[in-house]
Amino acid sequence: MNRGNAMHRLIHSIRPLALALLALLSQPAPAALNVLACEPEWAALAQELAGDKATVHSATTALQDPHRIEARPSLIARARNADLVVCTGSEMEAGWMPLLLTQSGNARIQPGTPGFLETAPLVPRLDIPKILDRSQGDIHPGGNPHIHLDPRNIARVAEVLRDRLIAVDAANAETYKARSSAFLARWREATERWEAKAAPLRGLTMVVYHKNMAYLSAWLGLREVGSLEPKAGLPPTTAHLADLVARMQREPARLIVYSAYNDPRAAAFLSERTRIPAVMVPYTVGGSDAAKDLFGLFDDTLARLLAALK
Ligand SMILES: [Zn+2]
């Protein structure tokens, strides 16, 4: 056999492969939508609805207090490239979001544009103050912003977020519609399952750390009888903890509940002195190993509350 011929055949056999590879490389990578969420719960929801059509980042993690982060340069860079920003609003991010928006120089994500979505205004809010008195601590005139621990609020936000994804990326509208319908169907089923599972928690009395469980409590009929913070947003003080110990010795709550991002020491202090069990809940996606997504967040929160009662 002639060597020239063999070489010719070899080139022939790899040529289609090489051409296919070349075609693949020269194709522009699908331009994924850049979504920047202020909190992990909205990042998780955006990912559920957008799938691989979006690259989603969260400005905060479950181990950070969403009220108190800094608009650091890496975050400003993310905001500069974002096509859609999803935040809570109702003053949750009042300490850092205005600066981040200004510094981003990104006209597509400014308030009033389709690229800027706040979720709290989309749901009925709790704790709207009757009088605005800042001496009562971090008062939110728009009501309690920690809306995501009621799964019915997640469903309300999902519908509006779907429409925003479509508004900023119409080319993928069908994907967003299909994924949202599938998500909402699974979510409604899960919500019913959670409500059944949480029945034994109804009427449960608890001391919370911050008023960030209010929507969970309202949904499941839990009763918050105290908080480790003396006033909303202020860290626990010795005097306030001493008061709580005395009060809990007279009239004990069933549980002390704090979030993954809270310093656990005040809860441990109260628990040791009152024998009331203290339980950490993930609060948002990523706050525990099991809270890998929004479904895991609710599964794990209920599992932890139920286990602490045993
Ligand atoms: Zn708060």
Side-chain angles (χ1 to χ4, degrees):
M1 196 170 69
N2 167 318
R3 276 185 63 200
N5 246 346
M7 185 58 81
H8 187 82
R9 274 207 309 277
L10 181 68
I11 288 170
H12 249 276
S13 66
I14 62 170
R15 215 171 140 237
L17 244 170
L19 282 177
L21 190 68
L22 200 71
L24 203 71
L25 289 176
S26 60
Q27 239 171 41
L33 195 72
N34 282 317
V35 178
L36 177 62
C38 282
E39 289 86 21
E41 58 271 23
W42 308 131
L45 184 60
Q47 199 72 72
E48 290 277 2
L49 305 190
D52 63 3
K53 303 299 180 203
T55 305
V56 183
H57 290 284
S58 176
T60 55
T61 74
L63 302 183
Q64 291 175 311
D65 181 341
H67 295 292
R68 292 169 217 293
I69 65 153
E70 305 223 335
R72 59 188 189 279
S74 60
L75 200 50
I76 294 167
R78 287 224 189 284
R80 190 163 294 148
N81 296 324
D83 302 298
L84 176 61
V85 156
V86 188
C87 293
T88 298
S90 195
E91 297 208 320
M92 175 88 98
E93 304 94 356
W96 53 277
M97 198 55 194
L99 182 67
L100 186 63
L101 286 173
T102 314
Q103 295 284 307
S104 76
N106 182 350
R108 289 168 302 163
I109 56 163
Q110 299 301 318
T113 65
F116 178 80
L117 177 63
E118 286 186 331
T119 58
L122 306 176
V123 306
R125 254 143 314 135
L126 302 172
D127 309 330
I128 292 184
K130 288 183 188 72
I131 37 166
L132 282 185
D133 179 1
R134 298 270 171 191
S135 73
Q136 293 309 302
D138 256 351
I139 296 296
H140 301 302
N144 189 319
H146 302 274
I147 62 161
H148 70 284
L149 287 175
D150 181 339
R152 298 166 301 181
N153 288 346
I154 298 276
R156 289 185 182 104
V157 172
E159 293 184 347
V160 179
L161 180 52
R162 169 201 61 207
D163 295 343
R164 288 303 183 89
L165 286 164
I166 293 171
V168 296
D169 182 23
N172 288 310
E174 290 314 311
T175 303
Y176 300 138
K177 282 183 201 162
R179 292 192 64 96
S180 301
S181 305
F183 170 78
L184 283 168
R186 278 179 70 208
W187 193 252
R188 289 198 176 106
E189 241 175 60
T191 302
E192 281 176 29
R193 178 164 50 79
W194 292 322
E195 284 171 357
K197 200 177 168 204
L201 298 175
R202 185 156 290 276
L204 170 88
T205 50
M206 59 182 187
V207 173
V208 295
Y209 189 108
H210 175 69
K211 283 209 59 98
N212 60 2
M213 300 283 149
Y215 292 84
L216 182 80
S217 299
W219 171 48
L220 297 177
L222 318 180
R223 286 178 49 219
E224 298 184 5
V225 295
S227 74
L228 294 168
E229 291 179 338
K231 287 175 183 176
L234 301 182
T237 59
T238 323
H240 177 65
L241 287 178
D243 268 3
L244 263 181
V245 168
R247 189 146 71 80
M248 287 300 128
Q249 280 168 343
R250 287 196 305 271
E251 207 180 332
R254 291 292 305 281
L255 290 182
I256 302 162
V257 182
Y258 63 101
S259 302
Y261 72 84
N262 294 139
D263 184 332
R265 286 176 296 182
F269 176 92
L270 184 61
S271 179
E272 271 163 32
R273 278 153 188 82
T274 58
R275 301 282 142 217
I276 300 171
V279 55
M280 187 274 273
V281 292
Y283 174 72
T284 185
V285 175
S288 66
D289 288 343
K292 284 183 176 31
D293 59 15
L294 287 165
F295 294 92
L297 168 63
F298 283 87
D299 283 337
D300 195 38
T301 301
L302 296 189
R304 283 167 183 258
L305 292 175
L306 288 163
L309 283 186
K310 291 213 175 99

